[in-house]
Amino acid sequence: MATKADVAIIGCGEAGIFAAYELTEQRPDLRVVVLDQGADIYSRHCPIVAGKVDRCIHCPVCDTMCGFGGAGAFSDGKFNFTTEFGGWLTDYMPAAQVMELIRDVDAVNVRFGATTELYSTSTPEAVALEKQALEHDLHLLQAQCKHLGTENNLKILTNIYEYLKDRAEFRFHTAVEQIRPLEGGGYHLVCGKGEDVECDTLLAAPGRSGAEWFASQCKDMGIPLINNQVDIGVRVELPAKVFEHITDVVYESKLVYRTKQYGDKVRTFCMNPYGYVVAENVEGINTVNGHSYSDPALRSENTNFALLVSNRFTEPFNEPYRYGKHIASLSNMLSGGVLVQRFGDLVKGVRTNQHRLSQSFTRPTLKAAVPGDLSLAMPKRQLDDIIEMIYALDKLAPGTANYDTLLYGAEVKFYSSRIQLSNELETPMRNFFAAGDGAGTTRGLAQAGASGMRVARVILERLDNRA
Protein backbone atom coordinates (compact mmCIF):
# COMPACT_ATOMS: atom_id res chain seq x y z
CA MET A 1 0.00 0.00 0.00
CA ALA A 2 1.54 3.30 -1.09
CA THR A 3 1.76 6.32 1.20
CA LYS A 4 -0.20 9.31 -0.10
CA ALA A 5 1.62 12.64 -0.13
CA ASP A 6 0.88 16.12 -1.39
CA VAL A 7 4.52 16.59 -2.40
CA ALA A 8 7.27 13.99 -2.65
CA ILE A 9 10.93 15.03 -2.82
CA ILE A 10 13.62 12.63 -4.04
CA GLY A 11 16.92 13.60 -2.41
CA CYS A 12 18.02 15.29 0.83
CA GLY A 13 20.70 17.53 -0.59
CA GLU A 14 20.57 21.33 -0.60
CA ALA A 15 17.80 21.51 -3.20
CA GLY A 16 15.60 18.98 -1.42
CA ILE A 17 16.22 20.51 2.01
CA PHE A 18 15.32 24.07 1.02
CA ALA A 19 12.28 22.94 -0.94
CA ALA A 20 11.05 21.03 2.12
CA TYR A 21 11.80 24.02 4.35
CA GLU A 22 9.89 26.50 2.20
CA LEU A 23 6.90 24.19 1.68
CA THR A 24 6.47 23.31 5.35
CA GLU A 25 7.22 26.84 6.55
CA GLN A 26 4.48 28.35 4.37
CA ARG A 27 2.01 25.44 4.45
CA PRO A 28 2.40 23.31 7.60
CA ASP A 29 -0.73 21.38 6.59
CA LEU A 30 0.96 19.87 3.52
CA ARG A 31 2.12 16.27 3.71
CA VAL A 32 5.67 16.41 2.39
CA VAL A 33 7.62 13.14 2.10
CA VAL A 34 11.38 13.31 1.49
CA LEU A 35 13.22 10.15 0.41
CA ASP A 36 16.97 9.50 0.35
CA GLN A 37 19.09 6.38 -0.04
CA GLY A 38 21.50 7.72 2.59
CA ALA A 39 21.26 8.31 6.34
CA ASP A 40 20.12 11.17 8.55
CA ILE A 41 22.63 13.82 9.56
CA TYR A 42 23.55 12.01 12.79
CA SER A 43 24.28 8.66 11.13
CA ARG A 44 26.53 9.74 8.28
CA HIS A 45 29.97 8.38 9.16
CA CYS A 46 32.61 7.76 6.51
CA PRO A 47 34.96 4.93 7.70
CA ILE A 48 37.96 6.92 6.45
CA VAL A 49 37.02 10.04 8.44
CA ALA A 50 36.30 7.85 11.48
CA GLY A 51 39.82 6.38 11.21
CA LYS A 52 38.58 2.81 10.74
CA VAL A 53 40.21 2.40 7.33
CA ASP A 54 42.88 4.29 5.40
CA ARG A 55 41.18 4.21 2.00
CA CYS A 56 37.75 3.88 0.40
CA ILE A 57 36.15 0.44 0.88
CA HIS A 58 33.24 1.17 -1.48
CA CYS A 59 30.35 1.12 0.97
CA PRO A 60 27.04 0.14 -0.73
CA VAL A 61 25.79 3.68 -0.01
CA CYS A 62 28.46 6.34 0.40
CA ASP A 63 27.94 8.37 3.60
CA THR A 64 30.10 11.16 2.18
CA MET A 65 27.83 11.63 -0.84
CA CYS A 66 24.38 10.50 0.32
CA GLY A 67 22.01 11.38 3.16
CA PHE A 68 20.74 14.58 4.75
CA GLY A 69 22.84 17.45 3.41
CA GLY A 70 23.95 15.56 0.29
CA ALA A 71 27.46 15.85 -1.10
CA GLY A 72 27.83 19.34 0.40
CA ALA A 73 27.46 18.19 4.01
CA PHE A 74 31.16 17.36 4.41
CA SER A 75 32.41 20.19 2.22
CA ASP A 76 33.97 23.26 3.78
CA GLY A 77 30.77 25.17 3.09
CA LYS A 78 31.72 27.82 0.55
CA PHE A 79 28.56 29.82 -0.15
CA ASN A 80 28.96 32.08 -3.19
CA PHE A 81 26.72 35.07 -3.90
CA THR A 82 26.98 35.11 -7.68
CA THR A 83 25.45 33.92 -10.93
CA GLU A 84 28.83 33.80 -12.70
CA PHE A 85 29.50 30.26 -11.48
CA GLY A 86 27.88 27.60 -9.36
CA GLY A 87 25.08 26.75 -11.76
CA TRP A 88 22.94 27.70 -14.71
CA LEU A 89 19.78 29.06 -13.08
CA THR A 90 20.02 32.19 -15.22
CA ASP A 91 19.05 29.96 -18.16
CA TYR A 92 15.62 29.75 -16.53
CA MET A 93 15.11 33.08 -14.78
CA PRO A 94 16.62 36.59 -14.56
CA ALA A 95 19.89 37.02 -12.67
CA ALA A 96 18.19 39.37 -10.18
CA GLN A 97 15.70 36.66 -9.26
CA VAL A 98 18.47 34.10 -8.81
CA MET A 99 20.35 36.47 -6.51
CA GLU A 100 17.20 37.10 -4.47
CA LEU A 101 16.74 33.34 -4.02
CA ILE A 102 20.40 32.93 -3.01
CA ARG A 103 20.00 35.67 -0.38
CA ASP A 104 16.83 33.99 0.93
CA VAL A 105 18.69 30.67 1.26
CA ASP A 106 21.50 32.47 3.09
CA ALA A 107 18.96 34.06 5.48
CA VAL A 108 17.73 30.57 6.39
CA ASN A 109 21.30 29.41 6.98
CA VAL A 110 21.96 32.44 9.21
CA ARG A 111 18.80 31.62 11.15
CA PHE A 112 20.30 28.22 11.91
CA GLY A 113 23.81 29.37 12.79
CA ALA A 114 25.68 30.52 9.68
CA THR A 115 28.18 33.34 9.88
CA THR A 116 27.37 36.80 8.54
CA GLU A 117 31.02 37.47 7.59
CA LEU A 118 31.57 37.96 3.86
CA TYR A 119 34.63 37.92 1.63
CA SER A 120 34.25 40.25 -1.34
CA THR A 121 36.04 40.83 -4.64
CA SER A 122 35.04 44.50 -4.62
CA THR A 123 37.32 45.69 -1.80
CA PRO A 124 40.36 47.81 -2.75
CA GLU A 125 42.64 44.86 -1.95
CA ALA A 126 40.59 42.53 -4.13
CA VAL A 127 40.48 45.01 -7.00
CA ALA A 128 44.27 45.33 -6.81
CA LEU A 129 44.54 41.53 -6.84
CA GLU A 130 42.28 41.36 -9.90
CA LYS A 131 44.52 43.84 -11.73
CA GLN A 132 47.63 41.92 -10.77
CA ALA A 133 46.06 38.69 -12.05
CA LEU A 134 45.17 40.32 -15.37
CA GLU A 135 48.81 41.28 -15.85
CA HIS A 136 49.50 37.54 -16.11
CA ASP A 137 46.39 36.76 -18.23
CA LEU A 138 44.57 35.29 -15.22
CA HIS A 139 40.95 36.36 -14.77
CA LEU A 140 39.52 36.64 -11.24
CA LEU A 141 35.76 36.04 -11.26
CA GLN A 142 33.66 38.41 -9.17
CA ALA A 143 31.70 37.08 -6.18
CA GLN A 144 31.00 37.55 -2.52
CA CYS A 145 31.74 34.41 -0.55
CA LYS A 146 30.95 33.05 2.89
CA HIS A 147 33.11 30.34 4.41
CA LEU A 148 30.88 28.30 6.69
CA GLY A 149 33.62 25.82 7.61
CA THR A 150 33.36 22.04 7.53
CA GLU A 151 32.48 21.75 11.21
CA ASN A 152 30.00 24.66 11.17
CA ASN A 153 28.40 23.45 7.95
CA LEU A 154 27.47 20.23 9.74
CA LYS A 155 26.10 22.16 12.73
CA ILE A 156 23.90 24.30 10.47
CA LEU A 157 22.54 21.21 8.70
CA THR A 158 21.93 19.51 12.05
CA ASN A 159 19.93 22.52 13.26
CA ILE A 160 17.90 22.57 10.04
CA TYR A 161 17.23 18.83 10.34
CA GLU A 162 16.04 19.22 13.93
CA TYR A 163 13.66 21.94 12.79
CA LEU A 164 12.33 20.01 9.78
CA LYS A 165 12.10 16.44 11.05
CA ASP A 166 8.67 16.97 12.68
CA ARG A 167 7.36 19.10 9.83
CA ALA A 168 8.15 16.83 6.90
CA GLU A 169 8.33 13.03 6.76
CA PHE A 170 11.88 11.88 6.08
CA ARG A 171 12.54 8.35 4.86
CA PHE A 172 16.23 7.50 4.97
CA HIS A 173 17.88 4.36 3.58
CA THR A 174 15.08 4.41 1.02
CA ALA A 175 16.11 4.15 -2.61
CA VAL A 176 13.59 5.12 -5.25
CA GLU A 177 13.83 2.49 -7.97
CA GLN A 178 11.38 3.90 -10.46
CA ILE A 179 9.18 6.92 -11.16
CA ARG A 180 5.81 5.98 -12.66
CA PRO A 181 3.39 8.62 -13.93
CA LEU A 182 -0.20 7.92 -12.88
CA GLU A 183 -3.19 8.13 -15.17
CA GLY A 184 -5.11 11.28 -14.36
CA GLY A 185 -2.08 13.00 -12.80
CA GLY A 186 0.39 12.42 -10.00
CA TYR A 187 3.28 10.01 -9.61
CA HIS A 188 4.00 6.64 -8.05
CA LEU A 189 7.48 6.12 -6.60
CA VAL A 190 8.56 2.49 -6.44
CA CYS A 191 10.89 2.18 -3.44
CA GLY A 192 13.45 -0.49 -2.67
CA LYS A 193 11.91 -1.33 0.69
CA GLY A 194 8.44 -1.75 -0.76
CA GLU A 195 7.40 1.49 0.98
CA ASP A 196 6.02 3.10 -2.16
CA VAL A 197 4.83 6.70 -2.28
CA GLU A 198 2.14 8.32 -4.42
CA CYS A 199 2.09 12.09 -4.75
CA ASP A 200 0.28 14.88 -6.54
CA THR A 201 3.51 16.82 -7.09
CA LEU A 202 7.05 15.49 -7.45
CA LEU A 203 10.43 17.21 -7.07
CA ALA A 204 13.45 15.20 -8.17
CA ALA A 205 16.59 16.53 -6.48
CA PRO A 206 18.77 13.39 -6.56
CA GLY A 207 22.14 15.11 -6.13
CA ARG A 208 25.36 14.08 -7.79
CA SER A 209 25.23 10.49 -6.54
CA GLY A 210 21.83 9.96 -8.17
CA ALA A 211 22.54 11.76 -11.44
CA GLU A 212 22.93 8.70 -13.65
CA TRP A 213 19.86 7.04 -12.14
CA PHE A 214 17.77 10.15 -12.73
CA ALA A 215 19.01 10.46 -16.31
CA SER A 216 17.91 6.88 -17.00
CA GLN A 217 14.48 7.59 -15.48
CA CYS A 218 14.07 10.64 -17.71
CA LYS A 219 15.04 8.64 -20.79
CA ASP A 220 12.46 5.99 -19.90
CA MET A 221 9.78 8.71 -19.63
CA GLY A 222 10.83 10.38 -22.87
CA ILE A 223 12.18 13.57 -21.29
CA PRO A 224 14.95 15.07 -23.49
CA LEU A 225 18.48 15.28 -22.04
CA ILE A 226 21.60 17.23 -22.96
CA ASN A 227 24.93 16.02 -21.59
CA ASN A 228 28.08 17.40 -23.21
CA GLN A 229 30.52 18.51 -20.51
CA VAL A 230 32.93 17.08 -17.97
CA ASP A 231 35.79 18.78 -16.11
CA ILE A 232 38.98 16.79 -15.61
CA GLY A 233 41.94 17.81 -13.52
CA VAL A 234 43.96 17.45 -10.34
CA ARG A 235 43.89 18.78 -6.80
CA VAL A 236 46.90 20.93 -5.99
CA GLU A 237 48.34 21.05 -2.46
CA LEU A 238 51.06 23.47 -1.37
CA PRO A 239 52.12 25.45 1.70
CA ALA A 240 49.38 27.89 2.74
CA LYS A 241 51.87 30.76 2.72
CA VAL A 242 52.07 30.62 -1.08
CA PHE A 243 48.45 31.71 -1.50
CA GLU A 244 48.02 33.66 1.76
CA HIS A 245 48.06 37.07 0.05
CA ILE A 246 45.14 35.87 -2.11
CA THR A 247 43.06 33.78 0.31
CA ASP A 248 43.28 36.41 3.05
CA VAL A 249 41.58 38.85 0.66
CA VAL A 250 38.99 36.78 -1.25
CA TYR A 251 39.19 33.38 0.52
CA GLU A 252 38.24 31.42 -2.60
CA SER A 253 39.78 32.84 -5.73
CA LYS A 254 38.11 31.68 -8.94
CA LEU A 255 40.90 32.21 -11.46
CA VAL A 256 40.41 31.37 -15.14
CA TYR A 257 43.18 31.00 -17.72
CA ARG A 258 43.14 30.15 -21.43
CA THR A 259 46.16 28.07 -22.40
CA LYS A 260 48.43 29.23 -25.19
CA GLN A 261 49.17 25.72 -26.41
CA TYR A 262 45.62 24.50 -27.02
CA GLY A 263 43.34 27.44 -26.25
CA ASP A 264 41.64 25.40 -23.51
CA LYS A 265 40.06 26.99 -20.45
CA VAL A 266 41.57 26.00 -17.08
CA ARG A 267 40.21 27.24 -13.77
CA THR A 268 40.85 27.03 -10.06
CA PHE A 269 37.98 25.57 -8.09
CA CYS A 270 37.13 24.79 -4.46
CA MET A 271 40.06 26.52 -2.78
CA ASN A 272 40.64 25.42 0.81
CA PRO A 273 43.06 27.59 2.79
CA TYR A 274 44.75 25.65 5.61
CA GLY A 275 42.68 22.69 4.48
CA TYR A 276 42.77 18.96 3.88
CA VAL A 277 42.64 16.84 0.76
CA VAL A 278 40.01 14.10 1.01
CA ALA A 279 38.95 11.11 -1.07
CA GLU A 280 35.43 10.98 -2.48
CA ASN A 281 33.46 8.02 -3.80
CA VAL A 282 31.28 8.71 -6.82
CA GLU A 283 29.33 5.59 -7.75
CA GLY A 284 32.22 3.26 -6.95
CA ILE A 285 34.95 5.51 -8.40
CA ASN A 286 37.46 7.19 -6.08
CA THR A 287 38.02 10.84 -6.90
CA VAL A 288 39.58 13.61 -4.82
CA ASN A 289 38.19 16.71 -3.15
CA GLY A 290 39.10 19.13 -0.36
CA HIS A 291 37.75 20.90 2.71
CA SER A 292 38.84 23.27 5.45
CA TYR A 293 37.74 24.26 8.93
CA SER A 294 36.89 27.69 10.25
CA ASP A 295 38.39 26.87 13.68
CA PRO A 296 42.13 27.77 13.58
CA ALA A 297 42.89 24.86 15.91
CA LEU A 298 41.70 22.39 13.26
CA ARG A 299 43.63 23.84 10.33
CA SER A 300 46.57 22.33 8.46
CA GLU A 301 49.65 24.15 7.16
CA ASN A 302 48.61 23.64 3.53
CA THR A 303 46.17 25.10 1.04
CA ASN A 304 44.57 22.92 -1.62
CA PHE A 305 42.48 23.66 -4.68
CA ALA A 306 41.39 21.98 -7.89
CA LEU A 307 42.70 22.80 -11.34
CA LEU A 308 40.09 21.74 -13.86
CA VAL A 309 40.09 21.62 -17.65
CA SER A 310 36.64 22.00 -19.17
CA ASN A 311 35.77 19.53 -21.90
CA ARG A 312 32.76 19.92 -24.17
CA PHE A 313 31.94 17.23 -26.67
CA THR A 314 30.08 17.20 -29.96
CA GLU A 315 28.03 14.55 -31.69
CA PRO A 316 28.09 11.62 -32.03
CA PHE A 317 29.81 11.39 -28.62
CA ASN A 318 27.24 11.67 -25.82
CA GLU A 319 28.76 10.01 -22.75
CA PRO A 320 31.06 12.55 -21.02
CA TYR A 321 29.94 11.19 -17.63
CA ARG A 322 31.23 7.75 -18.56
CA TYR A 323 34.37 9.30 -20.08
CA GLY A 324 35.19 11.12 -16.83
CA LYS A 325 34.59 7.99 -14.76
CA HIS A 326 36.91 6.03 -17.05
CA ILE A 327 39.78 8.50 -16.50
CA ALA A 328 39.23 8.42 -12.74
CA SER A 329 39.14 4.62 -12.83
CA LEU A 330 42.60 4.53 -14.46
CA SER A 331 43.97 6.45 -11.49
CA ASN A 332 42.18 4.01 -9.19
CA MET A 333 43.65 1.07 -11.10
CA LEU A 334 47.20 2.35 -10.69
CA SER A 335 46.95 3.36 -7.04
CA GLY A 336 44.04 1.44 -5.57
CA GLY A 337 42.49 4.81 -4.79
CA VAL A 338 43.88 8.33 -5.14
CA LEU A 339 47.24 8.94 -6.82
CA VAL A 340 49.67 11.72 -5.80
CA GLN A 341 52.71 13.09 -7.64
CA ARG A 342 55.13 15.93 -7.03
CA PHE A 343 54.89 18.67 -9.67
CA GLY A 344 58.64 18.54 -10.34
CA ASP A 345 58.51 14.80 -10.93
CA LEU A 346 55.62 15.21 -13.38
CA VAL A 347 57.48 17.86 -15.39
CA LYS A 348 60.66 15.81 -15.33
CA GLY A 349 58.83 12.65 -16.43
CA VAL A 350 59.72 10.77 -13.25
CA ARG A 351 57.33 8.63 -11.24
CA THR A 352 56.95 9.76 -7.62
CA ASN A 353 57.62 6.85 -5.29
CA GLN A 354 57.39 6.55 -1.53
CA HIS A 355 61.03 7.54 -1.05
CA ARG A 356 60.72 10.67 -3.21
CA LEU A 357 57.48 11.64 -1.49
CA SER A 358 59.12 11.28 1.92
CA GLN A 359 61.72 13.87 0.82
CA SER A 360 59.02 16.42 -0.09
CA PHE A 361 58.90 19.66 1.86
CA THR A 362 55.12 19.70 1.31
CA ARG A 363 53.54 17.00 3.45
CA PRO A 364 50.38 15.42 2.02
CA THR A 365 47.26 15.78 4.15
CA LEU A 366 45.64 12.80 2.43
CA LYS A 367 47.77 10.06 3.96
CA ALA A 368 46.09 7.29 1.96
CA ALA A 369 47.15 8.75 -1.38
CA VAL A 370 49.56 6.48 -3.26
CA PRO A 371 52.61 8.04 -5.00
CA GLY A 372 52.71 7.39 -8.74
CA ASP A 373 52.69 8.89 -12.22
CA LEU A 374 49.70 10.96 -13.32
CA SER A 375 50.81 10.80 -16.97
CA LEU A 376 49.85 7.10 -17.01
CA ALA A 377 46.26 7.90 -15.98
CA MET A 378 45.36 11.27 -17.49
CA PRO A 379 45.27 12.44 -21.11
CA LYS A 380 48.32 14.39 -22.28
CA ARG A 381 46.27 17.42 -23.35
CA GLN A 382 44.75 17.94 -19.91
CA LEU A 383 48.12 17.50 -18.19
CA ASP A 384 49.76 19.99 -20.58
CA ASP A 385 46.98 22.49 -19.78
CA ILE A 386 47.43 21.97 -16.04
CA ILE A 387 51.21 22.38 -16.20
CA GLU A 388 50.84 25.62 -18.19
CA MET A 389 48.27 26.92 -15.69
CA ILE A 390 50.56 26.16 -12.74
CA TYR A 391 53.35 28.21 -14.34
CA ALA A 392 50.86 31.05 -14.92
CA LEU A 393 49.72 30.90 -11.28
CA ASP A 394 53.37 30.94 -10.19
CA LYS A 395 53.60 34.52 -11.49
CA LEU A 396 50.70 35.60 -9.27
CA ALA A 397 51.60 33.34 -6.34
CA PRO A 398 55.34 32.56 -6.48
CA GLY A 399 55.95 29.07 -5.17
CA THR A 400 53.02 27.43 -6.94
CA ALA A 401 55.40 25.78 -9.42
CA ASN A 402 57.78 24.52 -6.73
CA TYR A 403 59.13 21.02 -7.26
CA ASP A 404 57.36 19.74 -4.13
CA THR A 405 53.90 21.07 -4.97
CA LEU A 406 51.64 18.01 -4.78
CA LEU A 407 49.13 16.98 -7.44
CA TYR A 408 46.40 14.48 -6.59
CA GLY A 409 44.40 12.74 -9.26
CA ALA A 410 42.15 12.39 -10.72
CA GLU A 411 39.71 15.11 -9.77
CA VAL A 412 36.68 14.87 -12.02
CA LYS A 413 33.61 17.10 -11.87
CA PHE A 414 30.68 15.33 -13.45
CA TYR A 415 28.01 17.59 -14.87
CA SER A 416 24.67 15.87 -14.66
CA SER A 417 22.48 15.62 -17.72
CA ARG A 418 20.70 18.86 -18.51
CA ILE A 419 17.00 18.10 -18.50
CA GLN A 420 14.42 19.96 -20.53
CA LEU A 421 12.86 22.31 -17.98
CA SER A 422 10.54 25.30 -18.08
CA ASN A 423 11.30 28.65 -16.44
CA GLU A 424 9.63 27.20 -13.34
CA LEU A 425 12.03 24.21 -13.37
CA GLU A 426 9.18 21.93 -14.41
CA THR A 427 9.76 18.99 -16.76
CA PRO A 428 7.45 18.48 -19.76
CA MET A 429 5.32 16.38 -17.38
CA ARG A 430 2.82 18.38 -15.30
CA ASN A 431 3.76 18.93 -11.62
CA PHE A 432 7.06 17.05 -12.04
CA PHE A 433 9.97 19.37 -11.16
CA ALA A 434 13.74 18.90 -11.06
CA ALA A 435 16.35 20.89 -9.14
CA GLY A 436 19.89 20.84 -7.81
CA ASP A 437 23.16 19.37 -9.02
CA GLY A 438 21.70 15.98 -9.97
CA ALA A 439 19.29 17.63 -12.38
CA GLY A 440 22.06 19.55 -14.12
CA THR A 441 20.73 22.98 -13.12
CA THR A 442 23.28 23.88 -10.41
CA ARG A 443 26.80 23.25 -9.21
CA GLY A 444 27.22 24.32 -5.59
CA LEU A 445 25.50 25.06 -2.30
CA ALA A 446 24.03 28.48 -3.09
CA GLN A 447 22.32 27.81 -6.40
CA ALA A 448 21.29 24.29 -5.39
CA GLY A 449 19.41 25.67 -2.38
CA ALA A 450 18.01 28.47 -4.54
CA SER A 451 16.67 25.99 -7.10
CA GLY A 452 14.84 24.02 -4.41
CA MET A 453 13.34 27.19 -2.95
CA ARG A 454 12.25 28.30 -6.43
CA VAL A 455 10.36 25.03 -7.05
CA ALA A 456 8.71 25.22 -3.62
CA ARG A 457 7.40 28.71 -4.36
CA VAL A 458 6.00 27.60 -7.73
CA ILE A 459 4.20 24.71 -6.01
CA LEU A 460 2.83 27.02 -3.31
CA GLU A 461 1.60 29.50 -5.91
CA ARG A 462 -0.23 26.74 -7.74
CA LEU A 463 -1.83 25.51 -4.53
CA ASP A 464 -2.98 29.05 -3.73
CA ASN A 465 -4.49 29.41 -7.20
CA ARG A 466 -6.23 26.06 -6.82
CA ALA A 467 -7.80 27.06 -3.49
Side-chain angles (χ1 to χ4, degrees), residues 155-467:
K155 289 176 185 176
I156 294 162
L157 286 169
T158 301
N159 292 339
I160 293 174
Y161 176 64
E162 283 295 322
Y163 183 79
L164 283 181
K165 68 179 183 180
D166 297 324
R167 290 167 170 78
E169 180 182 339
F170 288 92
R171 294 188 181 181
F172 297 105
H173 303 294
T174 303
V176 178
E177 295 179 349
Q178 188 180 16
I179 301 170
R180 292 179 182 169
L182 295 171
E183 289 186 18
Y187 300 88
H188 183 106
L189 306 182
V190 180
C191 299
K193 289 184 175 181
E195 299 174 356
D196 293 5
V197 175
E198 288 188 359
C199 60
D200 298 323
T201 301
L202 174 63
L203 167 58
R208 298 175 196 176
S209 62
E212 279 194 299
W213 168 83
F214 185 51
S216 70
Q217 293 294 304
C218 289
K219 287 178 183 177
D220 290 344
M221 290 183 283
I223 299 174
L225 302 171
I226 301 171
N227 190 356
N228 65 354
Q229 182 177 346
V230 64
D231 286 354
I232 295 166
V234 299
R235 183 152 290 264
V236 178
E237 185 169 42
L238 37 65
K241 285 181 170 51
V242 173
F243 264 77
E244 250 176 4
H245 66 294
I246 298 173
T247 56
D248 284 355
V249 174
V250 294
Y251 189 77
E252 180 178 30
S253 55
K254 297 277 190 181
L255 291 159
V256 181
Y257 175 77
R258 192 175 297 281
T259 63
K260 305 300 184 291
Q261 185 173 4
Y262 300 110
D264 294 337
K265 188 179 291 185
V266 190
R267 63 191 173 95
T268 62
F269 180 81
C270 187
M271 190 165 288
N272 298 286
Y274 316 101
Y276 296 84
V277 178
V278 296
E280 189 172 85
N281 185 327
V282 180
E283 297 173 352
I285 301 294
N286 284 329
T287 59
V288 65
N289 212 322
H291 67 218
S292 59
Y293 298 97
S294 60
D295 183 352
L298 299 174
R299 293 175 179 173
S300 77
E301 295 180 352
N302 295 345
T303 285
N304 69 75
F305 55 90
L307 280 184
L308 300 174
V309 183
S310 295
N311 299 267
R312 288 188 177 274
F313 299 91
T314 57
E315 293 182 351
F317 185 81
N318 64 353
E319 296 185 283
Y321 202 100
R322 185 178 171 191
Y323 173 76
K325 285 180 68 174
H326 176 70
I327 290 174
S329 70
L330 290 177
S331 175
N332 290 181
M333 186 187 301
L334 290 170
S335 64
V338 174
L339 190 152
V340 63
Q341 186 173 20
R342 295 188 300 175
F343 177 67
D345 289 340
L346 175 65
V347 172
K348 194 176 179 181
V350 175
R351 173 182 174 269
T352 299
N353 56 26
Q354 194 60 55
H355 172 71
R356 291 191 179 99
L357 187 62
S358 69
Q359 303 300 309
S360 175
F361 286 108
T362 304
R363 297 297 182 186
T365 55
L366 179 59
K367 305 301 181 186
V370 175
D373 188 348
L374 287 166
S375 69
L376 297 177
M378 294 182 63
K380 178 180 183 298
R381 179 166 179 154
Q382 279 87 348
L383 279 180
D384 286 348
D385 286 337
I386 287 164
I387 290 169
E388 186 178 330
M389 172 63 153
I390 287 175
Y391 282 127
L393 286 173
D394 193 65
K395 297 172 184 176
L396 181 66
T400 304
N402 282 353
Y403 199 108
D404 288 338
T405 291
L406 301 178
L407 308 180
Y408 297 82
E411 179 146 348
V412 181
K413 298 304 179 188
F414 303 102
Y415 291 86
S416 306
S417 298
R418 294 288 298 272
I419 298 152
Q420 182 178 321
L421 297 173
S422 72
N423 291 341
E424 295 179 324
L425 303 184
E426 185 177 27
T427 73
M429 305 177 73
R430 181 69 175 170
N431 291 326
F432 177 13
F433 301 85
D437 290 16
T441 60
T442 66
R443 193 67 192 181
L445 298 179
Q447 288 201 40
S451 69
M453 190 168 280
R454 165 64 172 161
V455 170
R457 289 176 179 176
V458 171
I459 294 170
L460 290 166
E461 184 179 348
R462 291 186 183 183
L463 289 172
D464 288 341
N465 292 336
R466 206 181 298 168

Side-chain angles (χ1 to χ4, degrees), residues 77-208:
K78 282 183 283 290
F79 193 95
N80 292 301
F81 296 78
T82 182
T83 59
E84 285 199 55
F85 51 85
W88 301 271
L89 288 184
T90 52
D91 290 354
Y92 307 99
M93 63 194 88
Q97 186 178 3
V98 176
M99 288 304 300
E100 181 183 354
L101 287 164
I102 288 173
R103 284 190 287 268
D104 289 346
V105 170
D106 175 60
V108 175
N109 281 333
V110 170
R111 175 183 177 184
F112 291 101
T115 180
T116 56
E117 182 182 357
L118 277 170
Y119 291 87
S120 174
T121 50
S122 61
T123 63
E125 295 83 3
V127 171
L129 180 63
E130 181 185 14
K131 181 178 180 298
Q132 186 183 357
L134 282 171
E135 291 171 1
H136 305 296
D137 207 10
L138 291 161
H139 302 265
L140 180 66
L141 299 184
Q142 299 295 314
Q144 288 184 315
C145 175
K146 275 190 179 183
H147 176 224
L148 305 178
T150 300
E151 74 281 32
N152 290 330
N153 195 34
L154 282 170
K155 289 176 185 176
I156 294 162
L157 286 169
T158 301
N159 292 339
I160 293 174
Y161 176 64
E162 283 295 322
Y163 183 79
L164 283 181
K165 68 179 183 180
D166 297 324
R167 290 167 170 78
E169 180 182 339
F170 288 92
R171 294 188 181 181
F172 297 105
H173 303 294
T174 303
V176 178
E177 295 179 349
Q178 188 180 16
I179 301 170
R180 292 179 182 169
L182 295 171
E183 289 186 18
Y187 300 88
H188 183 106
L189 306 182
V190 180
C191 299
K193 289 184 175 181
E195 299 174 356
D196 293 5
V197 175
E198 288 188 359
C199 60
D200 298 323
T201 301
L202 174 63
L203 167 58
R208 298 175 196 176

